[in-house]
Amino acid sequence: MATIVNTTEEEPMLAVVRSTAQLAWADAGPEVADPEVARLCAEAQQHLLAGRWLDMATLMLASADLLLLSPSAPDKDLECILTVICNLVTKAGSEDEALEIAKLICAKLTHQPPADKPTLRIKVLFSLYNLLPSLSGKAMVYRKALEVAAAAAGKAAADCVVPTFKNIDAFVAYWGIGKPEQRELFLAVTRILKDHKGMTKDYFKFLNKYLATFDGSADDADAIGAAKEEAAAAIVEFVKSSDLYQCDLLDMPAVAQLEKDDKYQPVYELLKIFLTQRLESYLAFQTANSTLLQGYGLVHEECITKMRLMSLLDLSGHCSGEIPYSAITKALEINDDEVEYWIVKAISSKILDCKVDQLNQLVIVSRHTVRVFGMPQWQSLRSKLGVWRGNIANAINTIQANKVTEDGGQGMQGLMIR
């Protein structure tokens, strides 16, 4: 049965209190219900006249409890009531009071059973977000919406928040939140994306964002240990992915800590193999750790495929622009007639640009993806750019000098004609 909230004849807040109170006391009989409804309405009227908006929010949320807990309550009615309550933040006398009201609303909405109307609660929280003037308040409400979506563990709830993830960087800059708040935000996003189909790239991206918030400073000493599970998850996602051939995980303190951890040390070793070594090292690791790989859902054949491509990238980085077929067959452990197949596979994966000299059995590399792009690679790029800049400057100077000479010659020729 629908709950009709009349907001035309009296103040909407009083109408909400009256309607929810009547519903709450409906089974008690008029002798008990009428005085209680009158008492609650009188209390609401006092809060309204005195401008006690925090007290009003407390009263209205308490009155709305029955609807929040009722699975049969119509969503439209509940949304209408909660929207009126959320609007209290616009009446607050200060940002601090508005923030306290927002916290009350968030607490009420996040402490409901996870499967109880999660999409509606997220929708209301986004409405509250838009009403709040405080940037820190907006950040808090957005995180609460993510909390509801993560707890619901359903596609419908996740679909409400996933489209907003493309704007996360803009949100962080707009809110001006610090590293701890960013860390909490990125972690919440990863928990939503973890089981969301078709979002593995985004899941890996936000795992990286989360892990990058740990810089190894003394301030992170107590918190960094909690990131071990996510660090291992990022490694596994990288190894699994058929689209990722470069990452900076080895440079992250949150990942580096795994090297000395008894549980996660083998996972860290696997990452080092994929980023710094060749197929031979992986095969030796797999022989000793096959159960571990299976436990993380890693398929041996898929790992071999990726490791062969990684080995080809390693060869490209250590050659002088030309790779003999014999070097490829040895590093990839393949037959001579398979070389061109793997070259084509690398080109189609957009990790290698090259030409094949079949006559001389050579692969001539013009570009390749660098597996780890850290400080040495940045320094190398800086040196190359410096050389290119110098070459361009020399070319410009030469052109200008030639132009001056040519103009001077033409001037002398004109003078002689006269």
Side-chain angles (χ1 to χ4, degrees), residues 182-196:
Q182 292 180 37
R183 187 176 299 155
E184 183 182 346
L185 175 66
F186 296 145
L187 184 59
V189 172
T190 63
R191 288 172 176 167
I192 294 170
L193 293 175
K194 183 177 182 180
D195 299 316
H196 204 68

Side-chain angles (χ1 to χ4, degrees), residues 199-383:
M199 302 295 289
T200 52
K201 274 189 176 181
D202 292 284
Y203 175 50
F204 179 74
K205 180 178 78 172
F206 279 100
L207 279 172
N208 271 264
K209 284 180 175 291
Y210 167 70
L211 297 171
T213 62
F214 298 95
D215 56 13
S217 64
D219 293 338
D220 291 338
D222 294 332
I224 197 170
K228 290 180 181 178
E229 185 177 344
E230 282 70 30
I235 293 172
V236 171
E237 287 302 315
F238 174 75
V239 173
K240 277 184 179 180
S241 174
S242 59
D243 299 317
L244 297 171
Y245 296 91
Q246 180 187 82
C247 76
D248 300 325
L249 291 175
L250 280 178
D251 294 331
M252 295 183 181
V255 176
Q257 67 175 329
L258 302 186
E259 187 174 18
K260 298 179 181 179
D261 186 87
D262 292 340
K263 179 180 179 181
Y264 294 115
Q265 189 278 330
V267 184
Y268 181 81
E269 181 62 27
L270 181 64
L271 176 67
K272 285 184 67 176
I273 289 171
F274 269 80
L275 291 178
T276 64
Q277 299 176 41
R278 297 182 182 177
L279 178 62
E280 180 183 10
S281 299
Y282 166 73
L283 293 174
F285 178 89
Q286 191 275 336
T287 300
N289 297 279
S290 58
T291 303
L292 175 87
L293 295 177
Q294 292 172 3
Y296 281 108
L298 295 168
V299 180
H300 179 49
E301 291 74 16
E302 294 175 357
C303 288
I304 288 179
T305 297
K306 182 163 183 172
M307 199 63 219
R308 279 183 171 143
L309 292 171
M310 289 295 212
S311 300
L312 187 56
L313 292 179
D314 191 62
L315 279 172
S316 301
H318 289 87
C319 73
S320 57
E322 295 182 351
I323 313 174
Y325 275 29
S326 58
I328 296 174
T329 57
K330 181 180 179 181
L332 275 60
E333 300 190 16
I334 56 176
N335 298 322
D336 291 345
D337 58 358
E338 296 178 281
V339 170
E340 292 178 15
Y341 166 80
W342 286 99
I343 294 299
V344 171
K345 191 171 183 65
I347 293 172
S348 63
S349 298
K350 299 180 180 179
I351 59 174
L352 186 69
D353 289 336
C354 64
K355 294 180 180 179
V356 176
D357 183 349
Q358 293 177 322
L359 182 62
N360 295 306
Q361 300 282 282
L362 291 173
V363 176
I364 303 168
V365 178
S366 56
R367 182 200 66 84
H368 72 282
T369 295
V370 181
R371 291 186 289 178
V372 177
F373 203 93
M375 187 55 66
Q377 287 73 33
W378 280 113
Q379 291 173 344
S380 175
L381 179 59
R382 182 180 181 180
S383 298

